[in-house]
Amino acid sequence: MIVLGIESSCDETGLALYDTERGLLGHALHSQVAMHEEYGGVVPELASRDHIRRALPLLEQVLQQSGVALAEVDAIAYTLGPGLAGALLVGSSIACSLGLALDKPVLGVHHLEGHLLSPLLASEPPAFPFIALLVSGGHTQLMRVDGVGQYTLLGETLDDAAGEAFDKSAKLLGLGYPGGPAISRLAEFGDPAAYKLPRPMLHSKDFNFSFSGLKTAVLTVVKNQTNVCEQDKANIARGFVDAIVDVLTAKCVNAIRHSGLKRLVIAGGVGANAQLRASLNAAAAKRKFRVYYPELQFCTDNGAMIAFAGAMRLQINPQAAKKDYSFNVRPRWPLEELRVI
Ligand code: KG4
Ligand code: ZN
């Protein structure tokens, strides 16, 4: 079965073809980062318009790359939510129009389920069950995953998401958008002893997070200086990255210990972070569990994870895709609402 995946929930247009027998056949992506950069963040209306411009050329690209004709596609999976309403509507309408024109069934996919399952696209995928840390621009959640559609939320952020904390702190330091990669690179040159920033909820007995205080601590440090020199910026970046990585690592270790499981999966954009990976790998070596990451190109938003999640859903329930082309979107959609009976 060949599934076409369409992702358009935020500032990346991603298309991909996944074959349940042959694996990922091809994927194409356009990032809007350069377009939004001058505004310091995503401008929703611009995002929607750009998805319209990019989607069909990317579809052509992915078909060519895969050597697959559109008629060979068995089903079309698209991101139904959560995300920006206008951006989601573009992907949904394209998916449903294609479905109608080709007489193929369509299936709305949960964006976070895409992220969550993306490590299964790797050459050595984790087996179920596992603990998953989902760290993206909009979400920070720890979950127990027993199978496709079997997700138990263990804890989540009470305020800012990890990616949001990276982006906001980077902005305070005058770094570009998205700030995650920029602040992470700068931190490499910082002195770890210069700023000891707070580690919110590090010792709380639950699996929840809170990052807005850490961002405020960065703000306070920046405000208290009349002239923040380059080395100082790097030191603050280092203080921030060390703090957030410490909290994320400690909560993952607690969840692993509490569950008795030996597999930890990291998904979402912040999963690309080098310092987080180093810290988790060190904890895993010490405590004898294994960490699985998506390939770097599939950490941030992409079409491959949507095609894959759609294919996994269809393997469980072939009726999940329908020839019903009236579409809507779910900009807010809690992952826990997903259940496979
Ligand atoms: O998963 P994603 O592409 O989009 C959402 O679904 O939100 O995640 C984007 C987030 C942004 O906040 C970005 O700054 C962060 O992931 N990010 C990183 C890195 N690469 C992306 N944060 C820290 N270090 C990175 N290397
Ligand atoms: Zn995402």
Side-chain angles (χ1 to χ4, degrees):
M1 178 178 50
I2 298 180
V3 179
L4 168 67
I6 303 178
E7 155 64 27
S8 72
S9 66
C10 190
D11 58 350
E12 259 114 17
T13 321
L15 278 94
L17 285 165
Y18 183 83
D19 184 340
T20 46
E21 272 145 45
R22 290 180 290 163
L24 188 65
L25 301 178
H27 68 101
L29 186 80
H30 175 76
S31 167
Q32 304 176 353
V33 161
M35 184 179 75
H36 297 294
E37 205 170 12
E38 65 177 296
Y39 304 99
V42 178
V43 183
E45 181 60 26
L46 293 182
S48 310
R49 291 177 192 205
D50 202 57
H51 287 308
I52 295 174
R53 271 194 296 272
R54 306 289 174 182
L56 292 182
L58 287 171
L59 173 62
E60 280 301 322
Q61 202 177 315
V62 90
L63 288 168
Q64 262 185 19
Q65 207 185 82
S66 314
V68 167
L70 209 42
E72 292 176 73
V73 170
D74 296 298
I76 302 166
Y78 61 95
T79 307
L80 177 62
L84 301 171
L88 290 166
L89 275 168
V90 176
S92 306
S93 57
I94 289 173
C96 293
S97 318
L98 274 174
L100 177 64
L102 299 168
D103 193 28
K104 305 286 180 182
V106 296
L107 164 71
V109 166
H110 195 295
H111 180 80
L112 297 182
E113 182 169 52
H115 275 303
L116 204 56
L117 300 179
S118 62
L120 302 182
L121 280 165
S123 50
E124 281 186 60
F128 296 114
F130 52 75
I131 295 295
L133 173 70
L134 189 63
V135 266
S136 69
H139 294 83
T140 301
Q141 299 184 325
L142 258 171
M143 260 167 295
R144 182 190 162 105
V145 179
D146 285 282
V148 174
Q150 295 171 32
Y151 314 125
T152 310
L153 184 67
L154 304 176
E156 62 187 332
T157 182
L158 305 179
D159 40 56
D160 291 353
E164 200 178 347
F166 267 98
D167 293 339
K168 286 179 175 169
S169 300
K171 204 168 184 176
L172 291 170
L173 290 174
L175 306 174
Y177 165 84
I183 198 169
S184 166
R185 275 194 301 272
L186 188 60
E188 293 292 334
F189 303 101
D191 173 3
Y195 294 98
K196 195 86 181 154
L197 298 185
R199 282 143 172 80
M201 301 187 71
L202 182 64
H203 300 295
S204 70
K205 294 272 178 273
D206 53 22
F207 302 111
N208 291 331
F209 305 85
S210 164
F211 295 119
S212 75
L214 179 55
K215 169 202 66 197
T216 309
V218 172
L219 175 67
T220 310
V221 171
V222 172
K223 262 192 172 166
N224 284 345
Q225 311 209 8
T226 40
N227 196 2
V228 185
C229 70
E230 283 310 306
Q231 185 57 50
D232 233 5
K233 269 193 191 176
N235 293 346
I236 299 168
R238 180 63 187 260
F240 167 80
V241 171
D242 284 354
I244 198 161
V245 164
D246 269 4
V247 176
L248 291 171
T249 305
K251 297 278 173 175
C252 286
V253 167
N254 281 350
I256 282 285
R257 220 175 20 208
H258 187 259
S259 67
L261 299 179
K262 292 285 175 203
R263 288 180 291 272
L264 175 68
V265 161
I266 310 298
V270 181
N273 183 267
Q275 290 96 343
L276 178 63
R277 287 184 174 215
S279 169
L280 289 169
N281 291 345
K286 193 167 155 203
R287 297 181 184 270
K288 309 266 179 289
F289 64 88
R290 182 156 172 204
V291 200
Y292 297 80
Y293 305 94
E295 276 181 48
L296 269 182
Q297 58 177 346
F298 300 139
C299 278
T300 43
D301 294 348
N302 64 85
M305 67 182 194
I306 301 304
F308 181 69
M312 293 300 101
R313 285 269 162 189
L314 286 171
Q315 278 192 326
I316 296 172
N317 175 15
Q319 310 305 320
K322 296 195 168 43
K323 289 186 176 176
D324 171 3
Y325 306 113
S326 58
F327 59 89
N328 62 354
V329 292
R330 298 199 60 183
R332 290 177 184 277
W333 184 8
L335 187 63
E336 308 84 76
E337 280 184 19
L338 289 183
R339 285 277 178 271
V340 173
I341 317 295

